[in-house]
Amino acid sequence: MKQTMVRASLVMVLMAGVYAVAAQQAQKGPTPIKVAEGVWFQQHGDIGKPTWLGSNVAWIEFSDYVAVIDTSFPLGAEEAIRNIKATTNNKPIRYAFITHYHGDHAFGNGAFAREGTTIVAHENARKEYLARNVEPYLKPAEKDPVYAKYKPVPPTLSFTDKFILDDGNRRAEVYYFGQAHTTGCIFVFLPKEKMVFTGDSCVNGPFNYMGDSDTASW
């Protein structure tokens, strides 16, 4: 009986330690992961991660600027901007590519726009944002102080099939192949690093929302 109580006490102490570490990490915010030289990834909204931050955010460092992939929710955008500045020596964030219009990938646009960032998306994603995102953004902004700091900002630069960034040292190729998870899904490919960023068109598990999709085209 005494041994059982001791074991139970040890388990409780260990669990308390785990929760304390998790709480400390949550207070610090997400830690950026370096996936290649000058390429970073910040994980949000996955198992054990705070979903209120929104989608994952990635960023690519060019010679004189930074390009971002997805802007998350406003709080996630603020966290990402802090980490982007810290990992790139405060280089200006010139572009933010929105992989599709859904709010968890695009409601952070206002935070990036305030940094002088040009928001880029496929033309369909821009249309969808204007048609479907403004009112859903303004509702939480009535109560959420982080939302209230920014306005809903649609993509200001759009393209149809392909968009290239190349500074002579690093190249990013942005492609549209047709309707997938939404009508405006894009893919960001880094040929030198052999990496591709897929947004929600390819995810780690059976979690895709099918409401805006075309499975045949996908």
Side-chain angles (χ1 to χ4, degrees):
M1 181 69 176
K2 189 178 275 187
Q3 284 183 342
T4 303
M5 289 179 68
V6 169
R7 284 176 188 153
S9 297
L10 283 170
V11 169
M12 288 177 70
V13 168
L14 286 168
M15 287 177 66
V18 168
Y19 286 128
V21 169
Q24 281 182 339
Q25 288 177 340
Q27 286 175 355
K28 288 178 183 175
T31 302
I33 302 164
K34 187 176 184 180
V35 292
E37 193 59 43
V39 185
W40 298 81
F41 176 79
Q42 184 165 303
Q43 189 175 21
H44 297 167
D46 205 344
I47 296 168
K49 303 288 182 181
T51 56
W52 62 84
L53 295 175
S55 70
N56 301 324
V57 178
W59 56 96
I60 307 156
E61 185 176 0
F62 289 81
S63 299
D64 300 318
Y65 63 89
V66 178
V68 173
I69 303 165
D70 284 328
T71 65
S72 243
F73 287 137
L75 184 60
E78 290 186 341
E79 293 277 1
I81 288 166
R82 279 194 287 271
N83 284 328
I84 291 165
K85 290 181 176 182
T87 55
T88 64
N89 198 26
N90 282 314
K91 282 186 181 176
I93 306 168
R94 187 173 296 174
Y95 300 104
F97 292 99
I98 307 306
T99 59
H100 58 291
Y101 84 93
H102 287 162
D104 58 328
H105 291 255
F107 275 3
N109 288 1
F112 281 92
R114 191 172 288 186
E115 296 289 322
T117 304
T118 298
I119 312 298
V120 188
H122 186 262
E123 60 183 7
N124 290 348
R126 172 177 161 76
K127 289 173 187 173
E128 294 279 23
Y129 187 104
L130 288 167
R132 304 176 69 174
N133 275 8
V134 175
E135 190 62 33
Y137 184 96
L138 294 175
K139 261 193 166 181
E142 294 172 2
K143 296 180 180 179
D144 189 313
V146 184
Y147 274 73
K149 284 197 277 185
Y150 311 105
K151 293 179 180 179
V153 176
T156 52
L157 179 61
S158 63
F159 65 98
T160 54
D161 300 314
K162 189 176 180 181
F163 190 101
I164 302 292
L165 293 178
D166 193 329
D167 66 358
N169 182 50
R170 191 186 303 280
R171 182 178 176 90
E173 302 174 357
V174 188
Y175 292 98
Y176 175 73
F177 297 119
Q179 186 168 353
H181 174 64
T182 68
T183 63
C185 288
I186 58 173
F187 301 82
V188 182
F189 176 54
L190 305 182
K192 183 179 176 182
E193 292 78 12
K194 296 186 171 134
M195 290 181 181
V196 62
F197 298 87
T198 66
D200 281 353
S201 292
C202 180
V203 297
N204 185 22
F207 309 120
N208 278 107
Y209 169 68
M210 307 296 288
D212 294 319
S213 69
D214 180 316
T215 54
S217 171
W218 197 348

